[in-house]
Amino acid sequence: AAEAGMEYLICPMIGPQDSLDEYRRFADRFNRCGEICRDVGLKFGYHNHHYSFMPMAGEMPQDVMMQNTDPALVEYELDIFWLVAAGQDPVAWLRKYPGRFTFSHVKDRLPDQPSNSFTASTTLGRGFIDYATILPIAKELGMKYFMVEQEAFAGTTPIDSSRDNADYMRN
């Protein structure tokens, strides 16, 4: 990855874990990955899904990972769609960990869908996530990269949706 000129290496998913100790072990692994990446000129990050924002044994797995990773070694890609799927407030998390969420997946969500549904995504502006409020706050709190992601295209095509998503982001 470094030889190819990439700047970041992102762990896209770890899957739900059976205990908070397993999330702590991943935090340790992420710190080691961050050291390896730093040593070759890369930065390391982790991309969340809904399960890390669902309470477990009185704690939030995402808190466990963030509190046990070195900010100089591990950055986070906040997938707002998945955070909202877990019933969490994106602005509250951004304020709780300013500067830790470097990236974001900007993906709108249809209402009344199961929390683990990949097909609940829709073209930006057609769902219920308030990106007009969230994104300026995210930028103010240190987010650098906003990547549109969409996994379902009911009533549209990927090309039309890409155009509509780009228009939404420009506005």
Side-chain angles (χ1 to χ4, degrees):
E3 289 176 11
M6 292 174 56
E7 185 177 352
Y8 289 92
L9 193 60
I10 305 294
C11 173
M13 184 175 190
I14 59 172
Q17 302 301 302
D18 292 328
S19 71
L20 291 171
D21 284 339
E22 290 180 35
Y23 285 102
R24 285 182 189 89
R25 281 192 283 281
F26 267 104
D28 290 341
R29 182 182 295 175
F30 290 166
N31 283 325
R32 287 192 304 278
C33 289
E35 290 171 347
I36 292 166
C37 285
R38 178 199 59 208
D39 292 347
V40 297
L42 293 168
K43 296 175 186 171
F44 178 80
Y46 172 68
H47 171 281
N48 67 271
H49 285 81
H50 67 293
Y51 51 80
S52 65
F53 289 98
M54 295 182 150
M56 174 184 273
E59 292 185 68
M60 198 70 71
Q62 188 72 30
D63 278 322
V64 169
M65 289 186 292
M66 295 189 81
Q67 292 166 3
N68 289 282
T69 52
D70 182 343
L73 298 173
V74 180
E75 299 182 26
Y76 286 86
E77 178 178 18
L78 183 63
D79 192 316
I80 295 170
F81 171 95
W82 289 119
L83 181 141
V84 169
Q88 298 292 315
D89 176 1
V91 172
W93 278 90
L94 289 162
R95 290 196 173 155
K96 187 174 186 176
Y97 294 103
R100 294 296 307 272
F101 295 107
T102 308
F103 313 87
S104 177
H105 271 174
V106 179
K107 174 171 49 177
D108 217 343
R109 184 169 180 78
L110 295 169
D112 304 319
Q113 300 293 310
S115 64
N116 64 349
S117 174
F118 281 83
T119 60
S121 72
T122 189
T123 303
L124 293 172
R126 295 184 184 165
F128 67 90
I129 299 177
D130 183 9
Y131 283 110
T133 298
I134 297 166
L135 297 185
I137 293 169
K139 188 173 182 180
E140 175 186 309
L141 294 171
M143 193 170 287
K144 299 174 187 172
Y145 304 102
F146 301 87
M147 295 163 281
V148 174
E149 179 184 42
Q150 187 172 340
E151 294 156 333
F153 302 92
T156 188
T157 67
I159 295 296
D160 288 342
S161 191
S162 294
R163 181 197 62 241
D164 294 343
N165 287 330
D167 288 344
Y168 181 93
M169 290 300 285
R170 270 192 290 278
N171 294 321

